[in-house]
Amino acid sequence: MLFKKENPQTIIDGLDKALEILQKRYEQKNITLEEFTKKCEELGKKRQKYQKKLEKEQRH
């Protein structure tokens, strides 16, 4: 099985876009505050993970 190398910056950009969409859904009252908060936390954790990977790659 071949593994694709992930580009952390591309993933971070995608997570940022997902956060924008989530914000719009909340503003339009399509999701509850609980759902919004939960998803924001999940996206934040993922973003932090890939930010660390990006910083590690840039050091080398």
Side-chain angles (χ1 to χ4, degrees), residues 7-52:
N7 180 348
Q9 186 60 54
T10 302
I11 295 171
I12 290 170
D13 293 343
L15 292 170
D16 289 344
K17 182 68 176 170
L19 188 57
E20 287 177 32
I21 293 168
L22 188 64
Q23 179 70 34
K24 288 178 186 175
R25 289 183 64 205
Y26 177 68
E27 289 170 0
Q28 295 170 350
K29 307 288 186 211
N30 292 333
I31 59 173
T32 64
L33 178 58
E34 289 175 6
E35 287 177 288
F36 176 73
T37 304
K38 182 180 175 184
K39 292 292 184 182
C40 283
E41 288 175 3
E42 290 172 8
L43 290 172
K45 287 177 184 177
K46 287 180 183 178
R47 192 180 192 291
Q48 190 175 31
K49 172 185 166 184
Y50 286 102
Q51 186 66 41
K52 285 181 183 178

